[in-house]
Amino acid sequence: MNLEHKLSELAQFIISGKHLDAQKITTELVENNVDADTILKESLMKGMDVVGQRFRDNIIFVPQVLVSARAMKTAMKILEPLMIKGNIKSKGKILIGTVKGDVHDIGKNIVATMLQGGSYEVVDIGIGCDENKFLQEYEIHKPNVIGISALLTTTMVNMKPVIDHFKNKNINLPFIVGGAPINKKYADEIGAFGYGKDAYEAVKIVDSLLDS
Ligand code: B1M
């Protein structure tokens, strides 16, 4: 098997949204002992980057992006069990969700999977979560850390109300934020404990808090 060729072929299937081909080739790569991290970084993320650029430049539109997202999710389903170690003592609990008004969940799902892979228990509360939803789920699950994801400049502003809501209730919990429009400066401004540029950084920040 020519590894480079196969990885770039998979990236192409993500771009063209051919989910069955993406499924087939991901399985083939896994069967050839290519590690999940390499497949994620070299094929899936690279493919989605191209999709993002073409979407931004109006070369493709929402329906094409959705088929690419489906291909990405199909491939991730195969990788997820490999990224999550079984039967390891949990280092802590993270509650994670995408902010109000935002449906983007691919990145959040990767962060959740990587955290699980890092031996954290993850409660994923889904998309479109406002401050009340975060608080309600906090009361049920009592996590050690809360993660908020936002992909739109119009929805990133909905992160601060979540953090403020907890502060107003005198609940002092570290918040980790991330997503394409977020940066460290913004995270500091809204009172988050940390900012993850990507899923790897998100795990590192949580490690700095809980993995002592
Ligand atoms: Co949307 N979209 N989208 N979209 N979409 C973006 C975000 C956009 C940048 C595209 C563009 O113009 N280039 C643009 C936002 C522009 C802006 O705000 N400035 C945009 C737009 C405009 C829109 C709509 C408004 C389009 C429309 O309807 N006219 C609409 C909004 C809907 C809504 O939310 N209300 C919309 C819809 C959609 C789809 C439904 C079609 C689909 C989402 C499918 C889904 O998620 N289930 C979609 C997609 C797929 C994208 C792009 C192409 C790809 C996003 C993605 O999945 N990337 C995106 C372009 C882009 O980002 N380049 C775009 C792959 C993923 C692995 O990366 O999500 O960045 P990412 O996650 C990374 C890091 O950011 C980080 O780690 C992840 C993994 O390493 N991270 C965290 C993420 N969350 C984190 C949390 C953390 C820590 C790190 O701690 C808690």
Side-chain angles (χ1 to χ4, degrees):
M1 186 183 66
N2 180 332
L3 179 59
E4 255 178 54
H5 175 73
K6 284 282 171 196
L7 289 169
S8 92
E9 210 177 354
L10 177 54
Q12 284 307 320
F13 288 141
I14 299 298
I15 297 164
S16 54
K18 293 191 172 141
H19 73 287
L20 294 177
D21 289 318
Q23 185 178 41
K24 188 166 160 252
I25 207 161
T26 305
T27 307
E28 204 180 319
L29 284 161
V30 167
E31 282 170 359
N32 278 279
N33 298 319
V34 180
D35 68 275
D37 259 18
T38 306
I39 301 171
L40 178 62
K41 269 197 219 157
E42 298 304 320
S43 299
L44 308 190
M45 305 268 242
K46 280 193 179 167
M48 279 314 283
D49 275 351
V50 175
V51 172
Q53 286 153 23
R54 292 185 183 172
F55 188 36
R56 184 194 56 213
D57 298 340
N58 292 320
I59 296 167
I60 60 168
F61 300 95
V62 170
Q64 287 110 310
V65 178
L66 278 176
V67 292
S68 291
R70 180 177 59 174
M72 170 100 184
K73 285 185 175 185
T74 307
M76 273 307 290
K77 278 267 168 303
I78 300 165
L79 301 185
E80 268 163 17
L82 306 171
M83 295 167 78
I84 301 166
K85 299 167 200 131
N87 282 334
I88 288 179
K89 195 176 167 290
S90 167
K91 295 193 284 192
K93 198 189 275 185
I94 328 294
L95 185 96
I96 188 166
T98 299
V99 81
K100 185 173 93 178
D102 203 322
V103 304
H104 297 86
D105 66 355
I106 296 172
K108 167 190 65 69
N109 296 346
I110 293 175
V111 173
T113 303
M114 299 278 291
L115 283 167
Q116 285 174 282
S119 303
Y120 292 101
E121 193 183 336
V122 176
V123 180
D124 185 342
I125 60 169
I127 56 172
C129 306
D130 67 5
E131 55 273 32
N132 295 318
K133 172 76 176 167
F134 273 100
L135 185 63
Q136 197 186 333
E137 297 288 346
Y138 163 80
E139 300 288 2
I140 298 169
H141 302 285
K142 297 286 183 221
N144 307 98
V145 178
I146 293 186
I148 322 176
S149 180
L151 262 288
L152 298 169
T153 45
T154 49
T155 59
M156 61 194 268
V157 293
N158 296 334
M159 288 176 150
K160 188 171 184 304
V162 179
I163 298 174
D164 287 348
H165 196 47
F166 278 74
K167 276 191 190 144
N168 293 339
K169 302 258 174 211
N170 287 323
I171 305 169
N172 287 315
L173 211 65
F175 280 85
I176 308 287
V177 294
I182 314 299
N183 56 36
K184 169 87 173 68
K185 186 169 170 281
Y186 187 72
D188 289 344
E189 271 169 24
I190 63 174
F193 169 85
Y195 154 70
K197 183 171 75 60
D198 54 31
Y200 299 92
E201 274 196 15
V203 177
K204 269 199 229 156
I205 297 163
V206 175
D207 276 344
S208 77
L209 281 162
L210 301 181
D211 190 14
S212 50

